[in-house]
Amino acid sequence: MIKNKTKMPVQDPDIRNNNFLEVALGYDLKLAKIEASRCLDCKNPRCVPACPVNIDIPKFIKEIENDELDEAYFTITRSNILPSICGRVCPQEKQCEQACIVGIKYEPVSIGALERFVGDYALKKQLNTIENIKDLPYRVAIVGSGPAGLSAAASLRRMGYIVDVYEALHEFGGVLKYGIPDFRLPKDIVDKEIDNTKKLGVKFHKNVIIGMSLTIEQLFNEYNYKAIFIGSGAGLPKSLGIPGENLAGIYYANEFLTRVNLMKANRFPETPTPVKIGQNVAIVGGGNVAIDAARTAKRLGAKNVFIIYRRDMSSLPARREEIDHAIEEHIDFHLLLNPVEFIDDSYQVKQVKCEIMELGEMDDSGRRRPVGTGKYKTFEIDSCIISIGQSPNPILKNVTPNLKVDSKGRIIVNNYQTSIPGVFAGGDVVSGAATVILAMGAGKKTAIAIDNYIKEKVEK
Ligand code: FAD
Ligand code: SF4
């Protein structure tokens, strides 16, 4: 038995922190087969229930081992329409790989890397899922083209529904497109996997904000949709609420990443949208979004990029792999610090003052609570990117008063249905900021609930 995971080749850290090309380069067939041979093909595989969309993991891994790569692709896409995306960005270490039996004694099977290998093989070969769809006479509208919307759309289309996806932005994919940077998830991969959903017959409409361009009522009454799925995500950034937060040079991570990912600010002046960050950039927060912002700032040419986080290294919520990659790329971590004030020179941020923290009792999240010490430390900065969380955008709620949300603006659902009959919701807009695969799992389960609803309430 090979004890360790087969290493995936990566770009050299000192080269990659100057470019936006993908960091991890993927397995070739030889490496994939070596890694596949580590799977025990368990009778009761613990990896499958640990996957939010229940991919038949041992089956597709065995198919790789047997050189049956087309079959491996069909096995995965029966449960997950976006394997190249999920293979790259899912937190497998907390899901399928955490449950893998091999992991009890050695390193678990690299399930994510194998999924990515199969997805990329299929994209190169232009393989499509084989479908035999029998059309039903019912229309369903999907609000948002992120992972939740895409997964709900594909599942409903496969059941035979006529499905339209409405997206507020000018590109499809949600966070996959505007949030996660190219060096982790190249945008042509996202486009190609979305194309597979289009090939199922799902229709996509861009630049349509449901709640502004069209209302829920119009979708039902004028467009004759029998059900609506809201997968509008959690794109509204949280603020620190400290003095100086509106100074020039202060960004929220979503805006900063959107400027680079969607508006290609890294190519300014070739593109019209600039992003000015200077040489010393502070990032506030410790999640995946903060790490993405830090690594993006480094690639834009900043000399000193550092994370400010109020707990210790072991409490960082970001994926371990991303933290390690950031350290290799010379991102610094200033821990146990909490920003309390931004200080300016002629309205341009120049310093961030932080309180030094220490860890106290456990809090509700199971981590030790950061407690202020009354001592302070100040950093010289040219810009700061705030990344302390997101909540759902209130646009839709504001024009749809009977849509019930909780105190954090998340849509309340009961068995995937909202307070409005026939309107369902899933993904970050229900759970708050979470993960791609949880959003996809929610989309898939909600599709079943919509199918049941239409069969019970509409057909009768
Ligand atoms: P979203 O992806 O947010 O998609 C919602 C879509 O709805 C958007 O396109 C939005 O424009 C559209 N929309 C909103 N309102 C309307 C409206 N009124 N009308 C029409 N359209 C509307 N997760 C991981 O698993 N791994 C990672 O590595 C990872 N990294 C991340 C990095 C960043 C920078 C960010 C921000 C998030 C990251 N996540 C990661 C989280 C993950 O991307 C989200 O949990 C996931 O995308 C949620 O999917 P969703 O479909 O619910 O929402
Ligand atoms: Fe293979 Fe691990 Fe799943 Fe067992 S638990 S089938 S070893 S991937």
Side-chain angles (χ1 to χ4, degrees):
M1 170 56 131
I2 305 167
K3 294 182 181 170
N4 295 328
K5 287 180 171 185
T6 310
K7 281 210 165 54
M8 188 183 286
V10 291
Q11 269 200 77
D12 180 87
D14 287 324
I15 295 176
R16 72 181 189 232
N17 64 11
N18 287 300
N19 69 51
F20 280 83
L21 301 175
E22 196 168 12
V23 168
L25 302 172
Y27 286 156
D28 58 15
L29 178 61
K30 189 172 157 214
L31 292 179
K33 286 179 76 166
I34 294 171
E35 187 57 22
S37 73
R38 298 182 65 235
C39 172
L40 304 173
D41 197 9
C42 306
K43 276 223 161 60
N44 292 310
R46 298 199 323 193
C47 53
V48 178
C51 166
V53 292
N54 304 123
I55 295 172
D56 191 340
I57 293 167
K59 184 168 190 293
F60 97 76
I61 294 183
K62 190 46 77 202
E63 286 162 341
I64 296 176
E65 232 190 320
N66 294 342
D67 273 322
E68 295 162 351
L69 300 186
D70 290 17
E71 288 73 8
Y73 176 69
F74 299 136
T75 300
I76 297 175
T77 48
R78 269 193 282 280
S79 310
N80 178 1
I81 190 98
L82 308 174
S84 281
I85 294 170
C86 291
R88 281 172 169 80
V89 302
C90 279
Q92 292 99 3
E93 69 281 2
K94 292 187 189 147
Q95 294 170 345
C96 53
E97 292 183 15
Q98 190 177 52
C100 171
I101 307 274
V102 176
I104 296 172
K105 243 180 138 180
Y106 307 122
E107 283 185 3
V109 176
S110 224
I111 301 168
L114 291 171
E115 183 184 20
R116 166 187 166 148
F117 167 75
V118 173
D120 287 2
Y121 158 84
L123 289 182
K124 248 185 235 138
K125 205 181 162 193
Q126 299 190 336
L127 262 188
N128 290 323
T129 56
I130 302 167
E131 311 282 343
N132 187 9
I133 296 173
K134 240 173 124 193
D135 280 340
L136 295 168
Y138 304 115
R139 291 159 62 83
V140 181
I142 309 285
V143 182
S145 66
L150 290 171
S151 158
S155 304
L156 286 159
R157 181 65 202 126
R158 281 172 161 167
M159 292 170 191
Y161 292 99
I162 300 160
V163 182
D164 286 296
V165 175
Y166 292 98
E167 168 56 52
L169 295 174
H170 60 284
E171 297 223 15
F172 303 114
V175 171
L176 304 174
K177 228 21 180 325
Y178 77 75
I180 304 180
D182 273 12
F183 55 82
R184 283 213 292 129
L185 179 62
K187 299 299 158 263
D188 60 322
I189 299 274
V190 180
D191 284 335
K192 285 181 190 158
E193 291 212 322
I194 293 177
D195 274 351
N196 287 341
T197 312
K198 289 182 184 164
K199 283 178 193 152
L200 290 178
V202 174
K203 295 268 180 305
F204 285 76
H205 311 269
K206 59 186 169 186
N207 299 320
V208 186
I209 305 178
I210 302 302
M212 287 178 92
S213 327
L214 286 171
T215 61
I216 295 280
E217 216 166 68
Q218 278 177 302
L219 290 177
F220 278 129
N221 298 340
E222 292 174 28
Y223 288 73
N224 199 25
Y225 290 108
K226 296 297 174 213
I228 298 168
F229 172 78
I230 303 175
S232 51
L236 189 72
K238 285 190 189 145
S239 65
L240 284 165
I242 62 173
E245 205 167 344
N246 54 359
L247 290 171
I250 296 185
Y251 296 90
Y252 291 101
N254 264 24
E255 177 207 352
F256 170 71
L257 290 169
T258 302
R259 279 176 181 241
V260 179
N261 292 332
L262 218 54
M263 317 293 183
K264 301 292 169 211
N266 51 318
R267 293 207 238 122
F268 180 80
E270 194 190 316
T271 54
T273 306
V275 64
K276 196 174 154 230
I277 53 168
Q279 290 296 308
N280 302 302
V281 184
I283 318 287
V284 180
N288 281 323
V289 185
I291 305 284
D292 279 346
R295 297 175 74 196
T296 300
K298 193 80 186 170
R299 282 160 173 78
L300 289 174
K303 207 163 153 211
N304 304 309
V305 180
F306 54 93
I307 300 264
I308 294 176
Y309 181 57
R310 60 196 185 129
R311 300 181 204 245
D312 64 353
M313 199 72 181
S314 66
S315 315
L316 282 166
R319 292 184 73 188
R320 188 67 234 179
E321 188 189 15
E322 305 307 331
I323 297 169
D324 292 343
H325 280 164
I327 294 170
E328 287 168 12
E329 292 168 12
H330 311 294
I331 309 288
D332 292 326
F333 287 77
H334 294 321
L335 303 163
L336 290 165
L337 291 169
N338 193 32
V340 290
E341 185 183 358
F342 292 110
I343 299 153
D344 72 308
D345 179 2
S346 306
Y347 304 108
Q348 165 68 42
V349 69
K350 279 292 159 206
Q351 292 180 328
V352 54
K353 181 179 171 188
C354 302
E355 183 170 13
I356 298 172
M357 312 299 277
E358 57 189 23
L359 293 181
E361 300 292 306
M362 289 286 179
D363 66 12
D364 295 346
S365 72
R367 296 173 299 171
R368 290 176 65 195
R369 188 190 301 278
V371 185
T373 60
K375 293 180 199 138
Y376 297 89
K377 200 169 173 179
T378 302
F379 297 90
E380 300 292 320
I381 56 170
D382 298 310
S383 61
C384 179
I385 302 165
I386 299 167
S387 175
I388 55 163
Q390 294 101 238
S391 55
N393 191 307
I395 290 177
L396 192 52
K397 159 70 196 155
N398 288 349
V399 294
T400 321
N402 47 347
L403 183 66
K404 287 212 174 107
V405 300
D406 67 11
S407 59
K408 293 182 176 161
R410 298 174 298 195
I411 295 181
I412 298 168
V413 291
N414 181 3
N415 195 19
Y416 307 102
Q417 190 164 198
T418 69
S419 49
I420 306 175
V423 179
F424 295 74
D428 280 8
V429 73
V430 169
S431 61
T435 64
V436 170
I437 198 69
L438 287 175
M440 290 187 69
K444 198 171 158 186
K445 286 178 197 140
T446 311
I448 297 170
I450 291 176
D451 182 45
N452 289 337
Y453 167 84
I454 291 181
K455 282 188 179 134
E456 278 170 27
K457 299 265 160 60
V458 181
E459 279 191 341
K460 279 180 189 164

